[in-house]
Amino acid sequence: MDTLLNTAIEAARNAGALLKEGFRSQFSVSSKTQYHDLVTEYDLRAEAIIMEHIRATFPMHAILTEESGHHETNSDITWVIDPLDGTVNFAHGVPLFCISIAAISNNEILVGVIYSPMTDELFTAEQGKGAYCNGNPIKVTDITTLTKSFLVTGFPYSVSDNPGHCIEHFSHLVSMGIPIRRLGSAALDLAYVASGRFDGFWEVLLQPWDMAAGSLIVREAGGIVIDYHGKQLNMKASSSIIAGNSILAHEILIELQKVDHVYQSGEFHE
Ligand code: IPD
Ligand code: CA
Ligand code: CA
């Protein structure tokens, strides 16, 4: 049977084989919003493969992708796709990147698949059915003390504008002595939180294709995903995100809000 999950898995594996083949080869690269915001020919080719596969199975479904935007239909179901998350890594020969595919309906994420071709790890979740890595159940950690946690974060391409005080958020948490990593792939960050490799993740202003699949995978792994107000995310818009077990995610939120409070109260002077 062609389920949403099977279709997402097949599409992700097909695109993964292409990315693996193209990794460290000669390929064209160009800049989008600014110099380091890249698109390679492999982003575009992977996206084409995924869309073709989904359309062959579910021709009526809508699609939202990073590189070609909205392809609206009358269907309730929208596929949300990042064909290559971690493009800067891919373009520089760093093997940390993945494919992220989700199917959503009315802000509910029905399935989420993240595939890391270089490690051959397939992270999957279906609403209400748990989260898996290569078929084995995965779970977020139960670390609840921030200073004992191992965190991962990321920065938007507009980091020099410091949106949402993201630089001070990082500086505040790293000054607490917390080991923090920046992998360069938000979808992998979420998959790694779901797998218990990291205890938590936060990042300002992610796009739906960066976070839709990973959000479901984290939730199905027993964690939560909230925005910087502690609310549910809107999967059709950009949003800031915190992920982890419920207690730790709220601990991160408290620390980010402490930083914001300093700015709002005017206590900060440049
Ligand atoms: C980016 C990565 C990165 C995150 C950026 C994203 P891309 O996606 O997920 O880790 O920090 O915010 O835009 O451009 O590699 O698909
Ligand atoms: Ca992305
Ligand atoms: Ca991308």
Side-chain angles (χ1 to χ4, degrees), residues 43 66-67 82-87:
D43 295 71
E66 173 165 18
E67 306 305 339
D82 192 336
L84 202 184
D85 187 53
T87 297

Side-chain angles (χ1 to χ4, degrees), residues 8-206:
I9 290 173
E10 284 161 13
R13 282 199 184 279
N14 291 348
L18 175 83
L19 296 185
K20 197 168 174 184
E21 188 188 295
F23 184 58
R24 294 185 183 150
S25 69
Q26 290 286 332
F27 48 77
S28 66
V29 187
S30 50
S31 295
K32 298 195 285 183
T33 59
Q34 47 98 337
Y35 183 76
H36 286 293
D37 182 4
L38 306 176
V39 57
T40 72
E41 68 179 79
Y42 280 95
D43 295 71
L44 303 173
R45 287 174 64 186
E47 183 164 301
I49 284 185
I50 296 166
M51 287 180 64
E52 204 179 304
H53 192 80
I54 290 172
R55 282 186 169 149
T57 320
F58 297 112
M60 300 314 291
H61 289 179
I63 297 181
L64 168 65
T65 72
E66 173 165 18
E67 306 305 339
S68 62
H70 280 280
H71 305 263
E72 302 275 12
T73 65
N74 289 328
S75 173
D76 281 351
I77 296 186
T78 302
W79 291 86
V80 182
I81 300 162
D82 192 336
L84 202 184
D85 187 53
T87 297
V88 175
N89 287 341
F90 183 87
H92 291 268
V94 176
L96 283 169
F97 56 86
C98 64
I99 293 119
S100 175
I101 303 178
I104 67 172
S105 174
N106 301 320
N107 211 35
E108 296 271 302
I109 310 161
L110 307 175
V111 304
V113 168
I114 292 173
Y115 182 53
S116 159
M118 304 312 291
T119 56
D120 193 23
E121 287 179 306
L122 181 77
F123 302 90
T124 56
E126 260 182 300
Q127 203 179 41
K129 295 190 179 167
Y132 301 85
C133 176
N134 290 348
N136 301 310
I138 51 175
K139 205 167 117 2
V140 297
T141 67
D142 53 13
I143 296 282
T144 52
T145 309
L146 211 39
T147 50
K148 292 187 177 159
S149 72
F150 181 41
L151 301 181
V152 64
T153 190
F155 300 95
Y157 292 111
S158 61
V159 63
S160 62
D161 298 334
N162 197 14
H165 312 304
C166 63
I167 295 172
E168 288 78 13
H169 285 163
F170 175 74
S171 153
H172 177 70
L173 284 162
V174 82
S175 330
M176 293 171 74
I178 301 169
I180 301 176
R181 299 291 180 266
R182 195 284 195 241
L183 301 188
S185 164
L188 264 194
D189 296 339
L190 286 163
Y192 283 12
V193 169
S195 311
R197 296 174 190 173
F198 293 114
D199 302 303
F201 167 65
W202 85 96
E203 184 166 348
V204 74
L205 287 181
L206 284 184

